[in-house]
Amino acid sequence: MNLEGGCACRGIRYKLTATPLIVHACHCRDCQRVTGSAFVINIWIERKFVEVGRAVPKSFRLTAGSGKHHDVFFCDTCGTYVWSRYHIAPGDTLFVRAGTLDDPTAVRPDVHIFTRSKLPWLELPQGVPAFESIYKIEEFWSPESKERLRRDRGART
Ligand SMILES: [Zn+2]
Ligand SMILES: [Zn+2]
């Protein structure tokens, strides 16, 4: 799986050196606004597996629906949003925008979240789990991803 990508002007380049923990399609209003689109495809992955090239993205801070901070990282030349960091999310993890992959067919959403603000003309695919808001990691993630997250949280303290 080639998980390299970058921004529109190619100033920012990155490479994911592990598979995603999980891939979200998020239909929340913040993701709609920040992307200017119907939803965002986010690759949830440990920060240590995101190798960044020479140019480092800038960020600004939003307050997420949870009340916790949400830092949005973007290229300060072309304005492409490349990833987010949600302070409520466990571990030292990032949410990489799958639309910035060189090959965005490399991943597909494991789950659709915040479908309560999904645009009404958009039909979700059959057989892919969907949640009105968010799910519980403990109940939903694969054992392998839960174990990776557990290790990441351990390494941080
Ligand atoms: Zn750029
Ligand atoms: Zn969202």
Side-chain angles (χ1 to χ4, degrees):
M1 188 163 16
N2 173 21
L3 294 174
E4 287 181 45
C7 67
C9 77
R10 300 185 70 82
I12 290 175
R13 295 291 300 162
Y14 66 82
K15 181 179 190 170
L16 308 185
T17 58
T19 55
L21 290 163
I22 192 166
V23 180
H24 285 175
C26 184
H27 300 259
C28 84
R29 290 292 295 128
D30 278 340
C31 288
Q32 289 172 341
R33 261 189 291 263
V34 166
T35 61
S37 188
F39 62 92
V40 70
I41 311 162
N42 273 332
I43 297 169
W44 192 348
I45 190 167
E46 298 92 325
R47 190 165 58 90
K48 65 185 176 206
F49 295 136
V50 181
E51 263 180 37
V52 189
R54 241 175 321 140
V56 175
K58 295 275 188 304
S59 72
F60 61 88
R61 178 162 283 184
L62 298 173
T63 301
S66 61
K68 296 273 171 61
H69 289 141
H70 167 199
D71 295 325
V72 184
F73 291 81
F74 63 98
C75 170
D76 67 345
T77 303
C78 70
T80 305
Y81 301 104
V82 286
W83 51 77
S84 285
R85 177 161 177 261
Y86 288 92
H87 291 239
I88 198 172
D92 189 1
T93 55
L94 297 175
F95 289 71
V96 178
R97 307 268 192 270
T100 65
L101 288 171
D102 295 339
D103 175 15
T105 66
V107 297
R108 49 164 70 205
D110 297 305
V111 58
H112 290 260
I113 59 169
F114 289 102
T115 59
R116 65 187 178 205
S117 47
K118 178 183 82 62
L119 295 181
W121 46 260
L122 179 68
E123 281 199 41
L124 297 184
Q126 292 288 318
V128 180
F131 293 86
E132 282 271 294
S133 60
I134 191 69
Y135 57 81
K136 288 200 169 67
I137 289 175
E138 201 48 47
E139 292 165 10
F140 192 70
W141 276 23
S142 70
E144 296 75 29
S145 289
K146 279 194 265 193
E147 174 57 22
R148 269 171 62 182
L149 186 64
R150 200 189 59 73
R151 269 186 273 133
D152 192 61
R153 297 173 88 161
R156 207 183 180 192
T157 49

